[in-house]
Amino acid sequence: MAKKIPLRQCLGCGEMAPKNLLIRIVKDNKDNFTIDATGRLNGRGAYICRKADCLKKAIRNNGLSRSFKMAIPEEVYDKLNKELIELEG
Ligand SMILES: [Zn+2]
C-alpha cells in the first residue's frame, strides 16, 4: 500500500501539492536557510514548487518572510535561486 503523502502549500503560486513534489526550505536555529532536498532536516520549514518561477513569486509576495516571521536576506534568496536552478536541471 502506498503511503499517503501529505499536501503542502507552495508559497509562490499558493497551490497545494504532495510534499514530495515540493522543495522544503529550512531555517535552522542559527537563522541559516537551506534547501532541504531530503525533507529530513530539523528546523522550521516552508514549501515551494521546484520552479525558479515559484521562488520568484514567493520573493515578490514575501511568502517566505511571512512564513519564517523574519526578513529574508537578499543573499539567501540568491542562494536558494541557484540551488533551485540546479534542481530544475
Ligand atoms: Zn508553486
Side-chain angles (χ1 to χ4, degrees):
M1 270 272 274
K3 235 177 27 183
K4 196 166 183 278
I5 313 236
L7 294 178
R8 291 289 181 270
Q9 187 177 31
C10 167
L11 289 178
C13 60
E15 300 208 4
M16 302 292 292
K19 219 175 125 162
N20 60 341
L21 295 183
L22 301 172
I23 55 162
R24 182 166 179 252
I25 297 167
V26 173
K27 180 170 86 73
D28 69 17
N29 52 15
K30 293 190 188 84
D31 288 352
N32 292 313
F33 290 85
T34 13
I35 286 185
D36 175 15
T38 63
R40 274 162 230 253
L41 291 181
N42 285 323
R44 197 182 152 69
Y47 293 83
I48 58 169
C49 303
R50 291 173 186 263
K51 291 180 204 154
D53 237 30
C54 281
L55 178 62
K56 267 186 227 149
K57 283 182 199 155
I59 294 171
R60 218 177 302 138
N61 66 19
N62 278 318
L64 285 174
S65 324
R66 276 204 310 269
S67 180
F68 291 113
K69 297 183 172 46
M70 62 176 279
I72 313 291
E74 191 85 11
E75 64 260 30
V76 169
Y77 283 140
D78 280 351
K79 190 179 114 177
L80 295 178
N81 197 35
K82 279 193 199 104
E83 288 187 40
L84 198 52
I85 285 165
E86 270 172 42
L87 280 176
E88 260 189 317

